[in-house]
Amino acid sequence: MRDIRFEDMHLFARVADLGSLSAVARERNVPVSQVSRTLVRIEQASGTRLVHRSTHGLTLTAEGHTFLDYCRRITGTLDELEGEFASHSGQPSGQVRVACSSVVAEHLLIPSFSSLQQRYPLLRVELAVDDRMTDMVQGGIDIAIRTGPPLTDTVVARPLGTLARALYATPAYLQTHGTPRHPDQLHQHRLITNSAVAFLNHWPFVVDGAPCVRVVEGHWRSDSTATTARMALQGLGIARLATLVADPLVRQGQLMPVLAEFVDLQPSPIHAITLTRRHRLPKVQACIDHWAEWFTHVDPAALARP
């Protein structure tokens, strides 16, 4: 057992999380054979079978579950030790994997990277960009930047700011197809919607002082919020976009607000979410502290200007 390295324990935990040697190999950008050899070496050092292999994937044996518990405890303690030294040196270091939507990546996080690097030069950030909710354990995610309330009580969430959405189209589209004067007229128009996140297609309005929602189906659909914005800029129809993306384009004359007197902006809180066992790591806290300060002092709309 003393021949097992800390990195072996990290790898075994990822095999357990992902249930596939090939998935771990892709994540680490190494051959599957290398992951397989490491797993065999771990089992030989342990003197027992830790994993059942089948055509359907991998499952842990009873001994594998026991070993996984110890792996998590030992690697967690090592993370805490690294964090302790990092806190003394004042220089958080290491890689931080961050999950976020395409809009958050392009318009909020990436513009903050220069100052983050100046402040913490030993940090490395990897973005996992997807509009869908990412499983933080399976994805190996340290921080998820998400809108709306946290979905479970097994995570730690820190508010960073808010994100509002409204309706927009190009002047050319509105000139050709007309401008709707009431939400009931939307069915007469070409709409651009999101195929990955259903609630983004629940367009909220306030009509005669009462809130209401129109569930819309798009003539054009995409699983990327960044792509829906590009579709709108091509004059393909009316889209519901984040105001931090659209408002600078309105000032440039590329987009126009639609049904502004009826749209309920419904600002959603943006949270930095971490798993409970990782939120105290200095490298994680350094990123979250930086983004909390960044979002407070920088106008997101200004960041979106080309």
Side-chain angles (χ1 to χ4, degrees), residues 115-169:
S115 56
L116 178 67
Q117 184 180 44
Q118 292 174 2
R119 189 172 181 179
Y120 302 115
L122 300 182
L123 285 181
R124 305 187 310 276
V125 176
E126 178 183 348
L127 291 182
V129 180
D130 196 326
D131 286 350
R132 296 177 178 86
M133 291 292 187
T134 302
D135 185 303
M136 297 185 68
V137 174
Q138 286 200 343
I141 301 300
D142 295 300
I143 306 170
I145 309 297
R146 294 174 176 165
T147 57
L151 299 179
T152 71
D153 57 3
T154 61
V155 298
V156 177
R158 179 170 173 181
L160 299 177
T162 59
L163 184 69
R165 296 182 176 89
L167 302 186
Y168 302 89

Side-chain angles (χ1 to χ4, degrees), residues 163-200:
L163 184 69
R165 296 182 176 89
L167 302 186
Y168 302 89
T170 62
Y173 171 85
L174 297 175
Q175 183 176 3
T176 301
H177 298 277
T179 301
R181 303 301 178 187
H182 192 278
D184 291 342
Q185 297 176 345
L186 284 173
H187 72 278
Q188 303 171 10
H189 286 265
R190 299 208 170 257
L191 308 179
I192 303 169
T193 56
N194 190 292
S195 59
V197 186
F199 80 84
L200 292 179

Side-chain angles (χ1 to χ4, degrees), residues 230-283:
R230 286 194 288 271
M231 287 179 174
L233 282 169
Q234 287 296 312
L236 295 176
I238 300 171
R240 184 170 180 244
L241 306 175
T243 56
L244 70 88
V245 175
D247 285 351
L249 300 172
V250 170
R251 291 194 291 269
Q252 296 166 16
Q254 296 185 59
L255 290 176
M256 293 182 64
V258 175
L259 296 174
E261 66 272 30
F262 293 100
V263 169
D264 186 351
L265 294 175
Q266 291 191 346
S268 299
I270 304 174
H271 287 101
I273 297 174
T274 58
L275 298 174
T276 52
R277 67 175 183 268
R278 300 191 66 77
H279 80 283
R280 293 186 182 278
L281 295 179
K283 64 180 183 180

Side-chain angles (χ1 to χ4, degrees), residues 31-44:
V32 176
S33 58
Q34 181 176 326
V35 178
S36 180
R37 286 195 299 270
T38 300
L39 185 57
V40 169
R41 186 176 70 248
I42 294 171
E43 289 186 322
Q44 290 174 343

